[in-house]
Structure formats: structure tokens, C-alpha cells
Amino acid sequence: MWYLEIKHFCPRTPVILVGCQLDLRYADLEAVNRARRPLSRPIKPGDILPPESGREVAKELGIPYYETSVFDQFGIKDIFDNAIRAALISRRHLQFWKSHLRKVQKPLLQAPFLPPKAPPPLIKIPECPAKNRDGPKQLLESPLCADVMFIIQEHVHLFAHRIYLSTSSSKFFDLFHMDFSDESQCLVVTERHRRDQLMRTLSLDTEEDVTVLPNLSPCSLRASKSDGTLKMMSFSGMHRRTRLSLASWSKAFYSIHKESVINPVTGMPALMTVVKMDHSIHNGPFSAVLRFLYTGELDEKEKDLMKIAQIAEILEVFDLRMMVENIMNNEGFMNQEITKAFHVRKANRIKECLAKNNFTDVVFRLDDGTINAHKPLLISSCDWMAALFGGSFMESANDEVSFPNTSRVCMQAVLEYLYTNQLSPMADLDPMELIALANRLCLPRLIALTEQYAVSELLKASKDGQDIDGEVITYLELAQFHNANQLGAWCLHYICTHYNRICANYRKEIKSKSLENQEYFEKHRWPPVWYLKEEDHYQRVKKEREKEDVVLNKHHSRRRWCFWSTSPAVA
């Protein structure tokens, strides 16, 4: 545009052509346009010229061509050096007799700019969903799959779940571990000073020489002096339907037995553990204790804090008692740390129950075996499981659920995540199988955790010298199919940044990918196509220059004087 005017008014001024903003060739144009002023014209991909367009214009005008990028600090020194060189070359044509200008004959070549590799996408882990945080509280309010019923003040019935109570309180853990499923079994008693005291004591004796009094029923128990192991004996006939008295073992409990009770949510009868509480325990404080055992939290505005502390003392829930003390001392901010420690300890106990199959009430049948689980924990942490066990599906009334195309290791990882909200990788865990199962169960956070685990394993294998190219190609479309978008983006980035090597070794696999993926490869491959073309052009021109220099040096060597000699030291 300006070349003719420059030549008209400044005919002896040397000119060089400069292409600016080289970084826009590989920059994110959407981000660049967002950073520009609101009224500025947006930059489109068609506005960015390839290097060959600049060289063609420079060739038509007979001037040198260079490219710069202030953002990357590329080509700036080349521009100033060659501007000075162009001025010296122009002066040499006018003042050819000056010997110091003889060596300045051509402009310097500029090596092409290799754009940096794009950083790999980060695997972002979403926050814990509200369902997982509020699930235990909602489950307590709507006790689906309840297996415990507390009787308060003879007429108030509270429903709960053994797995939640047992993992939060050692007292409940011991209570629910009493084996009284067979009604022909009963605890044994020995003589005490008074009959009415015998009826409210519990025997924890483990001695072998325990005798039964003739004038007492076989369900009466005596106070314990042993390590806590219950002694069982069998009875028949008139002594089959009995209840166990728990007064001396804990002041909170009066009796415990199993009974078929109608679930308040489903309206269906179910076998539950019925625990009758002592008359001194009231509904309000005990409900607050149950909420703490489920959620680990205590409302500072709760009424009857002293009664809550008393029940916590009886049930040996020392965390709750400490939280009450903090509230009464106006130090409620310290309860947050207690809640965190409570959840950590509860998660460890839940994992132990899962490993030992304690209090399980459902069996998952898998391709390579079975695994036991707990319906309450599954319902409170997964909407899919809540719909399965709480809806009108056939599995809601059964204790067995089939999971085809699922291994035991994969299901174990899913259960541990649902129980503890954390992923515990195992040696034989297949990340893609776990992602597929997590996608079926609608668990996006588990998908993100598995994506992070898969990427870390791939990087670890790559550092150990293993070839992961084929595995990344396999992961790509599987991850995209199972909504593992972050893993798919990482695989795309890896293939693009190692495109030449992967294309040479896995050409058929790359060509078999979807059209969208192939278009992405061509657009984001590194090094880009324009750089490869510029590199070829630069090497070709460089070789031509070298040949010309060799010929020129030979020509100058023939024109030496006859007495010209070069000493070896100078040479």
C-alpha cells in the first residue's frame, strides 16, 4: 500500500517488510478478543496471514521479509540488525570504494519461530455435591431402608440405621453386635441380692461355669465383671420369645429385640432391631444426638444442651459432649475441627465395616464374584442408588443386585468412594472400567478423580520409559464416550504435542478416529504445519547461501597477489 509513495518521496531509503503479532497464529483468538476493547473489531482466523503470504509480497517488491512478536520477544533484534544492514547495503551501492562495506552484501536470514507447546489441561476435581453432604441428614428424616427403631417414652418411635450408628458410636457398635437373631438364644444370669435388680442388669461374663437359677427366668442377666464378650445359651419351649435387659450395661437402654416393623416410608414390613430407651431419655435431646451421629454437626441454637451432653456421656459420644462444652463457653468455632476429625474417624470405621462385611444388607453380583454393601450409605450418597432401592424397581425389595460387565475391584472402588467420598486406587484397577461404571451411576466427581488417577499413572509410566502412545490413543474415544471430557482433552493434547511420532507409529489408529478428532489434530498439532513449511524453506535458502559463499570464496582466492602468503598462525 505504501511502497509506491515511499519510493516516490524517498527513492534512496532502504525498505524492509515486517510481519507483526506472530503470536496470533497459535493464540486462543476467543481469549484475545475478550481481552480487547469492547468496540474494537474482533480478530478472525482469516485475518491471520501465513508466512508464505508475507514472503510473496516481499518477493514482488524485491525487499527482505521478517516476522516479529513482542509478546514472545521474537524477531525484534533481527529487525534492528537487518535495518542497519539494509542501510549499509544501500550505502555500499553509492560508495562502492569503501572497503569496510564489501562484506555487507545480503540481508541476514531469519530462522522460523517455533511456537511453544500448549500447557496440558489441568484435571479439575469438582466440589463434593450437596447430596453427599446433606444425604445422611435427609436419610435420617426420611428413614428409607431403616433397620433400627428406638422407642422413646413408650410412645415415640424413631427410625435409624445400624451402619450409621455403629460407625459413629462404639456403644452402638457393641449393642448391634449382640447376636440375638436366633430367638432360642438368651443371655445367662447368676444370683444377685435382689430380684428386681437382676431384671435390669446385663451379664458380660465369659466364664464356662455359669449356672441358671431355678427361680428366675432364663432372660434375666447379671452385672458384668469380664471383658465384654456375651455368653450365650440355648433354651427351648416356653423360653423362646424373650427380650434382653440392658440396664446395667448402659443406662440409656432398657431392652433390645428383633421384630417385624412397618417402614414409615415404604409402608412395607421389615425386620428391625427394636431398642427401648430408658424413661429418663426424651425425644428432643435424643433426636439431636442422632443427628450428630449421622452428620457430625450440632446446632448452636439447640435447646436442652445439658440433656444432650448427658445422653452423649451415657452413650460415650465424647465428641458431642465436647461440642456442647464449646458452645456453652462461647467457643463454637472450635467445633469445626471436631466435625472434621469425626468424619475422618467415621470414614475409617466405614471402610473397616466394608472390609469385614459388618451390618451389610445388600449383595452385588459381579462378573468375578460378589461383594456386600450397605443400602443406607448408598442411598445417602448416590441418587442412582436412592432411586434403585427407594423406587418401584424390583431390586428395591431384593437383597441382591446384578451388575453385568463389572469387576469386583471396580465395584470395591465405587463403594469406597460412596462411603468416604474419596478414591482409593488399587493395583488391578482399570481406570476406563471405573469411569464407565461411574458414568452409569451418574457420579461426575468420581469420574474426575478417576481421570486424575489415569493421567498420573500415564505420566508415571512415561517417566519410567514405557511407551504410552497406544494406550493414550485407546483412552481417547473411550473417555469421550463415557463423558470423561477432561481425560479426553488431555489425550487430545498429548497426541497433538507428539503428533509426528504417533502418526509415524500409529497411522492407521489416527486415521480411524472421528472426523472431529482429526480436525482437532490438524488444527492443534505441534509443530504446526506452517512452521514445518517455513523450516524447509529456511534450510533450503540457507544451503543456497552456503553454496554461493563457497563459490565467492573460491573466486576471491584466485585474485590474490603473487607475493601474497598467509602464515599458519594467522590462518
Side-chain angles (χ1 to χ4, degrees):
M1 182 189 299
W2 301 104
Y3 185 73
L4 296 178
E5 186 174 353
I6 291 173
K7 281 302 179 183
H8 176 75
F9 292 101
C10 306
R12 297 181 179 179
T13 301
V15 179
I16 60 175
L17 182 63
V18 181
C20 301
Q21 295 183 332
L22 170 64
D23 52 275
L24 292 180
R25 284 203 187 111
Y26 62 89
D28 185 2
L29 294 184
E30 294 182 0
V32 172
N33 291 329
R34 287 195 300 267
R36 290 165 63 88
R37 294 180 179 179
L39 299 180
S40 59
R41 187 178 67 87
I43 301 175
K44 300 178 181 180
D47 299 336
I48 302 175
L49 300 179
E52 52 267 21
S53 299
R55 284 191 281 102
E56 290 177 0
V57 175
K59 186 177 181 180
E60 292 177 1
L61 303 179
I63 57 179
Y65 173 68
Y66 302 95
E67 292 185 337
T68 62
S69 172
V70 178
F71 181 80
D72 292 307
Q73 292 294 304
F74 171 79
I76 299 176
K77 188 176 183 301
D78 296 341
I79 291 299
F80 285 98
D81 291 346
N82 284 282
I84 297 171
R85 197 175 186 87
L88 295 178
I89 293 174
S90 177
R91 181 173 294 182
R92 180 179 178 277
H93 291 301
L94 299 177
Q95 302 175 4
F96 59 88
W97 60 85
K98 291 187 176 182
S99 59
H100 66 279
L101 299 177
R102 291 178 181 175
K103 294 183 179 180
V104 186
Q105 297 179 357
K106 295 181 179 180
L108 296 176
L109 294 177
Q110 184 186 34
F113 173 72
L114 178 62
K117 289 184 179 181
L122 299 177
I123 306 297
K124 297 181 180 179
I125 307 299
E127 296 183 358
C128 180
K131 173 68 176 178
N132 292 13
R133 294 194 300 266
D134 302 333
K137 183 178 180 181
Q138 296 176 0
L139 186 64
L140 179 61
E141 296 174 354
S142 178
L144 186 66
C145 298
D147 51 10
V148 179
M149 185 181 73
F150 292 100
I151 302 178
I152 311 294
Q153 298 292 321
E154 299 290 345
H155 63 278
V156 179
H157 295 172
L158 297 179
F159 294 88
H161 307 83
R162 291 186 302 170
I163 183 62
Y164 272 105
L165 301 177
S166 301
T167 53
S168 303
S169 170
S170 58
K171 208 68 172 177
F172 281 113
F173 183 85
D174 296 337
L175 176 68
F176 296 131
H177 260 82
M178 296 179 181
D179 186 9
F180 48 89
S181 57
D182 187 357
E183 294 181 356
S184 64
Q185 293 181 347
C186 185
L187 300 184
V188 185
V189 300
T190 56
E191 185 176 3
R192 292 285 289 179
H193 297 291
R194 292 171 53 185
R195 177 183 176 87
D196 56 351
Q197 188 176 2
L198 278 169
M199 297 300 295
R200 295 179 56 82
T201 56
L202 170 67
S203 175
L204 301 176
D205 198 8
T206 57
E207 299 176 359
E208 297 296 333
D209 53 346
V210 181
T211 59
V212 180
L213 297 180
N215 58 341
L216 295 179
S217 64
C219 64
S220 303
L221 308 171
R222 71 176 181 85
S224 171
K225 62 177 181 179
S226 64
D227 59 352
T229 305
L230 295 177
K231 180 68 177 179
M232 298 292 180
M233 288 189 64
S234 296
F235 298 90
S236 60
M238 58 179 297
H239 303 302
R240 293 189 65 87
R241 294 191 175 273
T242 60
R243 298 186 180 184
L244 308 181
S245 179
L246 309 173
S248 67
W249 179 63
S250 176
K251 297 179 181 180
F253 308 119
Y254 181 78
S255 66
I256 178 173
H257 67 282
K258 283 202 171 184
E259 183 180 340
S260 181
V261 181
I262 296 179
N263 189 287
V265 178
T266 61
M268 300 295 294
L271 186 63
M272 295 189 186
T273 303
V274 180
V275 181
K276 186 176 181 181
M277 306 300 294
D278 191 82
H279 294 282
S280 61
I281 295 179
H282 298 277
N283 180 26
F286 186 70
S287 298
V289 173
L290 288 182
R291 283 194 294 271
F292 172 80
L293 295 178
Y294 272 69
T295 64
E297 299 175 354
L298 176 63
D299 189 1
E300 296 184 4
K301 299 180 181 179
E302 194 74 45
K303 299 179 181 179
D304 299 329
L305 290 176
M306 291 303 300
K307 292 183 179 180
I308 294 176
Q310 292 174 0
I311 297 176
E313 181 73 23
I314 295 174
L315 296 178
E316 299 179 4
V317 186
F318 302 114
D319 290 346
L320 178 57
R321 187 189 63 181
M322 191 179 304
M323 294 178 74
V324 173
E325 292 179 1
N326 291 336
I327 293 175
M328 298 183 67
N329 295 333
N330 295 325
E331 296 177 349
F333 61 91
M334 300 177 63
N335 292 343
Q336 295 180 358
E337 297 298 326
I338 298 178
T339 301
K340 291 181 181 179
F342 171 85
H343 285 300
V344 172
R345 185 167 57 252
K346 186 179 181 68
N348 294 332
R349 291 176 178 175
I350 288 177
K351 291 176 66 175
E352 182 180 356
C353 288
L354 177 62
K356 297 181 179 180
N357 295 331
N358 290 331
F359 310 116
T360 57
D361 53 2
V362 63
V363 178
F364 291 115
R365 295 201 170 275
L366 311 170
D367 294 344
D368 54 353
T370 60
I371 188 171
N372 297 335
H374 308 81
K375 288 183 180 180
L377 294 174
L378 300 177
I379 292 172
S380 62
S381 57
C382 179
D383 292 334
W384 193 92
M385 292 289 184
L388 177 66
F389 295 118
S392 57
F393 298 101
M394 179 180 61
E395 290 79 3
S396 61
N398 296 338
D399 295 334
E400 293 186 2
V401 179
S402 298
F403 269 86
N405 304 324
T406 305
S407 65
R408 195 173 186 276
V409 175
C410 185
M411 180 57 72
Q412 180 81 14
V414 171
L415 292 181
E416 288 194 8
Y417 167 77
L418 294 178
Y419 288 3
T420 65
N421 208 29
Q422 296 177 356
L423 176 63
S424 300
M426 303 176 186
D428 300 332
L429 181 63
D430 183 4
M432 289 312 307
E433 182 185 359
L434 182 56
I435 287 176
L437 181 57
N439 184 44
R440 288 167 56 190
L441 300 179
C442 303
L443 299 173
R445 190 171 188 274
L446 178 57
I447 293 177
L449 290 172
T450 312
E451 289 172 327
Q452 188 181 57
Y453 167 72
V455 170
S456 64
E457 288 296 311
L458 289 173
L459 293 177
K460 182 179 178 181
S462 179
K463 289 181 180 179
D464 294 340
Q466 301 179 19
D467 183 14
I468 63 172
D469 296 347
E471 196 169 1
V472 171
I473 294 175
T474 305
Y475 277 5
L476 174 58
E477 292 192 344
L478 287 176
Q480 293 174 342
F481 180 78
H482 293 294
N483 293 325
N485 298 323
Q486 297 187 95
L487 179 59
W490 188 90
C491 293
L492 286 173
H493 171 268
Y494 181 88
I495 295 174
C496 289
T497 52
H498 302 82
Y499 186 78
N500 291 338
R501 183 186 70 198
I502 293 178
C503 223
N505 298 329
Y506 301 92
R507 182 175 296 276
K508 293 183 179 179
E509 289 79 358
I510 291 295
K511 294 298 182 183
S512 64
K513 298 302 176 185
S514 63
L515 294 178
E516 295 181 357
N517 288 333
Q518 293 190 28
E519 291 176 359
Y520 187 92
F521 296 153
E522 292 297 327
K523 183 178 180 181
H524 298 90
R525 57 180 291 184
W526 188 92
V529 177
W530 61 265
Y531 170 80
L532 297 177
K533 293 180 179 179
E534 282 298 293
E535 179 67 18
D536 293 340
H537 174 76
Y538 172 75
Q539 295 296 337
R540 185 171 61 255
V541 175
K542 185 179 179 180
K543 290 181 181 179
E544 293 176 358
R545 286 269 185 109
E546 291 175 354
K547 291 181 181 179
E548 292 177 359
D549 292 340
V550 170
V551 174
L552 186 61
N553 291 334
K554 289 182 180 179
H555 178 70
H556 284 299
S557 63
R558 292 175 183 175
R559 297 178 57 185
R560 291 179 178 174
W561 297 98
C562 59
F563 52 83
W564 182 275
S565 63
T566 304
S567 62
V570 176

